[in-house]
Amino acid sequence: QVQLVESGGGLVQAGGSLRLSCAASGISFSHNAMGWFRQAPGKERELVARMALGGAIDYTDSVKGRFAISRDDAKNTVYLQMNSLKPEDTAVYFCTSGGWGVVPAAYHFWGQGTQVTVSS
């Protein structure tokens, strides 16, 4: 059974930082691309960052230069370092795997999500 468990969300002031973690089990982690999506209230789930097996990385334009995705295959964990946070980054952040693409339907496995709230 595949499990993706996110952690690290919370409440932070604008300009602050958070580091999200996603621990994976039940999958061949080193053979899967990983990604982070987010969903704000009343909005569609959107891609934040994704990392391919070969290391190629994509970010949505609004987080470029502020967020960084990384992975530790020895720990079966993917991270999202978020710096210079803005109120518009407020959302539930989801870890995903088992696919590749820029839309949620492209992925098979999802975590339960972790809330990130940025106050102004």
Side-chain angles (χ1 to χ4, degrees):
Q1 180 180 358
V2 176
Q3 282 194 316
L4 301 176
V5 180
E6 302 99 334
S7 61
L11 173 64
V12 64
Q13 289 188 331
S17 298
L18 283 174
R19 186 196 196 201
L20 305 183
S21 299
C22 172
S25 61
I27 62 172
S28 180
F29 185 83
S30 62
H31 292 90
N32 275 274
M34 301 296 296
W36 289 94
F37 279 71
R38 67 185 178 186
Q39 188 166 18
K43 295 188 176 181
E44 294 186 352
R45 193 170 296 191
E46 66 168 352
L47 177 69
V48 177
R50 59 176 181 164
M51 177 180 279
L53 288 175
I57 293 174
D58 295 320
Y59 297 100
T60 191
D61 286 346
S62 63
V63 308
K64 286 179 180 178
R66 300 188 298 122
F67 289 13
I69 186 172
S70 62
R71 62 190 293 162
D72 185 337
D73 287 351
K75 295 183 178 180
N76 285 4
T77 300
V78 62
Y79 304 98
L80 185 67
Q81 178 66 44
M82 306 186 295
N83 300 323
S84 302
L85 282 161
K86 304 175 180 180
E88 50 264 43
D89 294 318
T90 295
V92 178
Y93 284 70
F94 297 91
C95 174
T96 188
S97 186
W100 183 250
V102 297
V103 296
Y107 297 87
H108 292 292
F109 307 121
W110 292 87
Q112 82 287 350
T114 186
Q115 177 70 47
V116 172
T117 303
V118 184
S119 63
S120 57

